[in-house]
Each structure stands twice: as C-alpha cells, then as structure tokens.
Amino acid sequence: SRKYKKHLTASLLAVAFLTSFGSSMLYGYNLAVVNSPAVYIKDFYNKTVVRRNGTGLSEETLTLMYSLTVSVFAVGGLLGSLIVGMLVTRYGRKGTVVNTTVLVFIAALLMGFSRICGSPEMIIIGRFITGIHSGISLSVVPMYLGEIAPKNLRGFLGLVPSIFIGTGVFVAQILGLHELLGKEEHWPLFLSVIAVPTFIQLMLLPWFPESPRYLLIEKHNIHATIRALKWYRAKCNIQAEIEEMQEEQRSLFSVETLSVWKLMLDDTVRWQVLSVVVINIGMQLSGIDAIWFYTNSIFENAGIPAPEIQYTTAGTGIIEIIAGLIGCFTIEKLGRRPLMIGGFAMMGICSTGITLALILQAHLSFMRYISVCCVVGIIAGFCIGPAGVPFLVTAELFKQSHRPAAYIIGGSLNWLSNFTVGFVFPFLQMSAGAYCYLVFATICASVAVYVYIVIPETKNKTFMEISQMFSKKEAVLETQSLIHVDQLKLRKLNGYGGLEHASVEFDSSLSVP
C-alpha cells in the first residue's frame, strides 16, 4: 500500500539492518557454531589436559566439559538479559547497542587465540561473554526498533531481528561445511568470525540518532526528539507523534523506571506481565532448541546418508530465512495474533507428527520422510511467528517506564528455558523416546490457546491505546458486578473516541507506577 511505502524510510531500514546484522545475527550464529567443530574442540581439550597432567580425560569428563562450552552461552545470555534494564536507562537504546560491541571483540580474541595459548578456559570464557552480548541484544534491538518505528511499521521492523537470527544459524551451517571452515585447522577462526559484522556495525551505527521516545520521555530533550523524528520519518505529521509521546509522558507523572519487583506487584499490568511470561517460556519450551541441537540425529534416524546430512541441515537454514521473511511481510496485514497462534499451532501439529512418524517408522518405511517434513514444519512454524513476535509484543504491551523491566522478565525466562531444554532434552529423549515430542506439542497448543483468549491485537495501535485495551479488560473483569458494562463504554477519552478504551476513572489507575 502507499501508506506503507511512505513511512518506510531508508534510514529506518538501515538501522533495522545494522542493529540486527551486528547483534541478532550473532545470536543465531553462536547457537549453531558449536555444532560442526565439536569433534575438534573435544580433541583440543583432551590434548591440552594430556600436556598439562600427563593423562587424558575420561569420556564423561570430556562430554561434561563440552556441554559446559555449549550451555555457558545461555548462562551468559541470562546475565545479559538481567542487566539490560540498567543499560538502556543509562546509555539509551542505541547507546547500549554501540557500547556492548566491545564484548564481542573481547570474546573473539579469547576464542581466536585459545589454541595458540593452549587454553580451553579461553573458549569457555569467550562463549560466556558472547552469551552476555546476545542476552543484551535480544532485548535491546527489538526495544530500539519498536520505539523508532511508526505504529504501522512496528511489526515489520520488529521482525527484522528474527530474520537475522535465522540468517546467523544459516551462515554458521554454511561456514561449518568441510569445504569452508569445517576443517580442523580452522575452528578458532570459525568461532571468532563474529568480530566482522560487529565491526561493520560499530563503524556505521553511531551516525544514526537515538530512539525519539527515549530522548523525549526519559531525557526531556524536545529538540533532539524532533531531529531524530525528522531523520527517521518521510513526510509525516511529526507534531502528532510528539503529542502522542507527551500524552504517554504525562500519564507517567514520575518517570522512575520500574524495577522488576515493582512490575510484578503492579496490579494494573497483571495481564501484560502474565502474557510476556507465557509467550517467552512457550517460545523456548516449544521444542525448537531440541530440534536445532539435534537436527543431525533426527535426519540420521530418517536414513539420510551421513555425508549428505550437513547439506540437509543447511537446507533447513534456508527454510528458516524464507519463513522469517513471510512473517515479516505479512505481520502488518495479518496482525500479531494470527502469526503467533498459527505458528504455535503448526509447531504443535508437527511435533505430534514426529511422534507418530518415529513410532510407525519400523512398519512403514516412508514414515521417515514424514519426520523430515515435520522437522521442516516445526522450524517454519517457529520462524513465521514465535521466533520474533514475543519480543515485539513485549515492547508493545508496556509503556516507557515499564518496558525495561518487562524485557528483563521476558529475557531471563527465555534464557532459563533455553538452558533447561538444552540440558533436559537428552534425558527426556532417553526416558520417553518418541513420546518426548508430545510434551512440546502440548506446550505449543496451550500457548496458542492462551494467545487466542488473552492477548488483544496490537497492530496499528499507539502504546497508550494498547495499555488502555488491557486496563479495560482488567476493569471489566473486576467491575462487572458493580458497574454495568454499557456505562464503561459511554465515557470516552478525549482525542481518541474509540469504544475500545477504558473509562477515564480506570485510566487514571494506569499512571500510578
């Protein structure tokens, strides 16, 4: 549509690409990078210990050391997501993205020189530091893009990071092919390539302005806000946007950013907090991590010849990117809810499909192809909605003062669930066999039902309108017995006039942090 093109300026697109390229892409890359050089890294650990102690490591200790290398990334991510609120309030949204690039350079140096220094510790510390960077990026990039985007493009820009996460996974799968960096001598380079996109980001991103909402609401700098808006908007009504931000600013009275504890205790945002908890836990416990970590073994069971498995896995990477693009280009037409409900439902159906295929495989040989199709279906379902929409919705459900704390809650639950799945799945698989996918199917179905019942459509709404939709839900639930609902609908808010907003007296309860 013409409206769509009018608002999508080159500078908006450039910021979305730069922030995602140097931050979100690294998250995907680091998730998948440890897959192909596993054998070489274990070998390096073993040789180092032999050189130090004279004896090698037992198989169990080696496995433990390696799983620590893989999972310490999630521990770093958890730490990063816990400090993100403090960083975005102090340095701003863009400032946080720029300042945290230093973490990537430190990590790349540690991992790149680990073999020369003969130090396995350097790899583990490097993975931990990349985790911290990813934990910060996963929250701050959608927050920054959600705040600079005009409301009719928030969904489109908010899903750009999830396309880059898929791209990162794909790049790691391609570079990990034996023909490229998948040889033994190349693994330190393979781990430290992450410095390249971050360097490009550091050269270009500082030239772009900070989030206008941050400049106005938290820094009270109207001139900088107008400059930033002129930079990010084509011909549009800047005055109207500033008035909408000031409306939000007035409703906040004191612009104290809420702590996580205060946010949990705040009755006025009870449903928003619960929604962020459900979609962030659901996103990780949907089983996507299990699929990503164990794609190769699933394909092996399906009878794909061993030399071809790495290419098949890279093929799933292309599907991730295509599905991400479909989500990105349809979110403003379809809205947030259909993508989340559809994505989770598709994942649930395909997880059930894998269970059936694995059980019937012994009797019907074609069932193995069904299980490959189901893996592809789960990945596509995830990338269309659940991969990016939860981060976007976290930004949309809260006002400026509540947003950093909401990201801390969402982010930390996301990483904790990520760690849990990576850790528990092998044991779950051993005890439940093919039935372990039914656990994931149940979780996906439950999240889809929750989204359908509780979360309203936030497409094209201002942040104030969204918080009023929720306060209306709260108000109606609590006062159905006291006040007739029709009376609620009669009182309209000045300047909005829609029937879907709460009455004035309930709205005033929003302003108290």
Side-chain angles (χ1 to χ4, degrees), residues 185-204:
E185 62 268 26
H186 293 324
W187 66 257
L189 176 64
F190 187 33
L191 291 179
S192 54
V193 165
I194 50 174
V196 179
T198 309
F199 179 73
I200 295 171
Q201 183 192 57
L202 187 60
M203 289 296 93
L204 300 173

Side-chain angles (χ1 to χ4, degrees), residues 472 476 479-490:
K472 174 196 170 207
V476 170
T479 57
Q480 243 155 2
S481 51
L482 305 172
I483 304 175
H484 203 254
V485 182
D486 292 342
Q487 284 174 287
L488 278 179
K489 289 186 175 174
L490 287 172

Side-chain angles (χ1 to χ4, degrees), residues 165-243:
I165 293 172
T167 310
V169 172
F170 181 59
V171 168
Q173 288 164 344
I174 294 293
L175 288 180
L177 294 175
H178 197 69
E179 294 81 352
L180 297 168
L181 296 181
K183 297 190 183 68
E184 177 156 20
E185 62 268 26
H186 293 324
W187 66 257
L189 176 64
F190 187 33
L191 291 179
S192 54
V193 165
I194 50 174
V196 179
T198 309
F199 179 73
I200 295 171
Q201 183 192 57
L202 187 60
M203 289 296 93
L204 300 173
L205 192 61
W207 301 100
F208 288 87
E210 182 52 84
S211 147
R213 304 189 85 79
Y214 172 79
L215 292 171
L216 181 78
I217 296 177
E218 289 176 46
K219 287 284 177 247
H220 308 288
N221 187 339
I222 187 94
H223 295 296
T225 309
I226 293 171
R227 265 207 313 278
L229 278 174
K230 281 185 175 158
W231 182 280
Y232 286 131
R233 299 286 181 269
K235 299 175 187 64
C236 89
N237 191 346
I238 288 180
Q239 187 58 37
E241 268 202 65
I242 288 184
E243 277 168 18

Side-chain angles (χ1 to χ4, degrees), residues 241-278:
E241 268 202 65
I242 288 184
E243 277 168 18
E244 184 254 314
M245 290 182 212
Q246 283 170 331
E247 165 99 17
E248 186 176 333
Q249 187 181 10
R250 278 194 295 275
S251 84
L252 294 174
F253 290 142
S254 66
V255 191
E256 251 328 277
T257 304
L258 254 71
S259 68
V260 171
W261 186 240
K262 281 204 180 120
L263 182 68
M264 305 276 268
L265 296 178
D266 187 344
D267 283 348
T268 59
V269 290
R270 191 182 314 155
W271 284 101
Q272 286 98 310
V273 174
L274 183 62
S275 300
V276 164
V277 169
V278 170

Side-chain angles (χ1 to χ4, degrees), residues 132-153:
I132 297 175
H133 178 261
S134 288
I136 295 167
S137 313
L138 271 193
S139 294
V140 75
V141 172
M143 191 190 304
Y144 180 36
L145 295 179
E147 288 182 13
I148 65 172
K151 62 183 182 184
N152 65 318
L153 285 178

Side-chain angles (χ1 to χ4, degrees), residues 65-135:
M65 242 177 112
Y66 189 70
S67 30
L68 177 67
T69 310
V70 175
S71 57
V72 78
F73 177 67
V75 181
L78 177 61
L79 180 64
S81 65
L82 291 174
I83 58 173
V84 79
M86 181 186 80
L87 293 173
V88 293
T89 310
R90 178 176 301 176
Y91 299 113
R93 279 60 168 152
K94 183 197 77 174
T96 303
V97 177
V98 172
N99 290 335
T100 51
T101 50
V102 67
L103 294 170
V104 180
F105 298 124
I106 296 170
L109 286 170
L110 283 170
M111 296 190 292
F113 288 105
S114 56
R115 185 167 58 186
I116 296 170
C117 303
S119 164
E121 295 82 3
M122 284 168 71
I123 298 182
I124 294 173
I125 295 167
R127 286 280 296 167
F128 178 65
I129 295 172
T130 55
I132 297 175
H133 178 261
S134 288

